[in-house]
């Protein structure tokens, strides 16, 4: 996914935040005629994808049905960073990986699917759809990388790196609050949920 250059206020603000962090003048549009601005846009695009690829509450879905097309193939959309089979009974006889832009079954050695598998998905969202703490983290990391690429000042780099660490902590705090995680694991439907023993379950045996 190329970083959108629609000129939205949030995108332009992000670019100018990065530019200001490395001592550059702000811009009024997202046109990439200025080499430094082009580097900032490219860096922000790269960092946004890297951060989203970690998998957060806002861009993950479990047991998402991925239907094959009429030819039996399941193409991988460009905005789908990660796609893997969910752990359930129906998927046990398959071993799927992404290959050549499609979902491939390594066990049967075929690309064709005769049913709709449930998958765990990580999506890449556009900039305007990212939660504010995630945007702040992406901007802080992009500023650190831009400083390294354009300026090369170790003191500036260290300062920006510390800011990026703080923003990451805020992003993790946000994700933890949104994700309803517990000491024992993830919420139900995300594959690792602790279920305590309940005596009445013994009655079913």
């Amino acid at each position: 996914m190329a970083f959108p250059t629609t000129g939205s206020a949030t995108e332009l603000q992000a670019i100018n935040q990065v530019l200001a962090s490395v001592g550059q003048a702000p811009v009024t549009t997202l046109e990439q005629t200025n080499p430094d601005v082009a580097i900032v846009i490219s860096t922000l695009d790269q960092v946004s994808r890297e951060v989203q690829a970690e998998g957060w509450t806002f861009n993950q879905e479990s047991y998402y049905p991925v239907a094959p097309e009429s030819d039996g193939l399941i193409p991988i959309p460009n905005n789908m960073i990660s796609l893997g089979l969910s752990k359930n009974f129906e998927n046990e006889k398959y071993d799927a990986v992404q290959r050549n832009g499609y979902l491939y079954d390594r066990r049967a050695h075929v690309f064709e699917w005769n049913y709709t598998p449930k998958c765990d998905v990580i999506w890449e969202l556009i900039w305007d759809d990212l939660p504010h703490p995630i945007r702040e983290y992406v901007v802080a990391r992009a500023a650190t990388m831009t400083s390294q690429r354009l300026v090369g000042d170790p003191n500036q780099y260290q300062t920006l790196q510390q800011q990026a660490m703080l923003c990451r902590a805020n992003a993790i705090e946000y994700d933890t609050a949104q994700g309803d995680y517990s000491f024992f694991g993830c919420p139900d439907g995300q594959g690792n949920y602790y279920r305590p023993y309940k005596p009445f379950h013994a009655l079913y045996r």
Side-chain angles (χ1 to χ4, degrees), residues 5-119:
T5 54
T6 58
S8 73
T10 54
E11 296 164 21
L12 186 58
Q13 182 182 21
I15 296 295
N16 285 330
Q17 281 182 296
V18 175
L19 289 171
S21 297
V22 297
Q24 299 292 322
V27 295
T28 57
T29 67
L30 296 181
E31 295 180 1
Q32 302 185 34
T33 54
N34 185 316
D36 290 349
V37 175
I39 290 175
V40 172
I41 293 176
S42 175
T43 301
L44 200 63
D45 183 16
Q46 174 189 341
V47 173
S48 178
R49 185 171 180 86
E50 289 176 355
V51 169
Q52 293 191 59
E54 294 182 36
W56 304 77
T57 302
F58 70 89
N59 72 333
Q60 289 190 94
E61 289 190 69
S62 300
Y63 302 102
Y64 183 84
V66 182
E69 297 185 337
S70 58
D71 54 6
L73 301 180
I74 299 179
I76 310 298
N78 292 332
N79 65 333
M80 190 177 285
I81 299 176
S82 175
L83 174 66
L85 294 181
S86 302
K87 295 185 181 301
N88 58 20
F89 178 77
E90 292 81 4
N91 289 338
E92 287 184 355
K93 58 182 178 180
Y94 302 96
D95 182 13
V97 294
Q98 298 181 45
R99 183 174 296 177
N100 299 328
Y102 295 92
L103 193 65
Y104 177 76
D105 181 13
R106 294 192 301 178
R107 187 164 298 173
H109 312 292
V110 295
F111 284 98
E112 293 78 15
W113 295 79
N114 56 13
Y115 97 114
T116 300
K118 299 289 182 63
C119 297

Side-chain angles (χ1 to χ4, degrees), residues 114-142:
N114 56 13
Y115 97 114
T116 300
K118 299 289 182 63
C119 297
D120 297 333
V121 179
I122 297 178
W123 299 99
E124 181 179 13
L125 305 184
I126 63 173
W127 183 258
D128 287 349
D129 289 341
L130 298 181
H132 181 73
I134 303 299
R135 288 187 202 168
E136 291 297 312
Y137 174 43
V138 171
V139 168
R141 259 186 67 176

Side-chain angles (χ1 to χ4, degrees), residues 181-202:
Y181 301 110
S182 74
F183 177 79
F184 299 104
C186 303
D188 195 13
Q190 297 188 20
N192 184 26
Y193 188 63
Y194 174 78
R195 293 177 176 83
Y197 171 71
K198 297 179 181 179
F200 65 83
H201 285 170

Side-chain angles (χ1 to χ4, degrees), residues 128-202:
D128 287 349
D129 289 341
L130 298 181
H132 181 73
I134 303 299
R135 288 187 202 168
E136 291 297 312
Y137 174 43
V138 171
V139 168
R141 259 186 67 176
T144 302
M145 293 180 62
T146 302
S147 174
Q148 189 177 40
R149 292 174 176 178
L150 293 182
V151 182
D153 182 349
N155 293 327
Q156 182 189 77
Y157 177 82
Q158 185 176 9
T159 300
L160 292 174
Q161 192 174 42
Q162 292 174 350
Q163 178 64 24
M165 292 174 62
L166 175 62
C167 289
R168 177 171 178 81
N170 292 336
I172 292 175
E173 182 179 1
Y174 166 84
D175 188 67
T176 301
Q178 293 291 312
D180 193 27
Y181 301 110
S182 74
F183 177 79
F184 299 104
C186 303
D188 195 13
Q190 297 188 20
N192 184 26
Y193 188 63
Y194 174 78
R195 293 177 176 83
Y197 171 71
K198 297 179 181 179
F200 65 83
H201 285 170

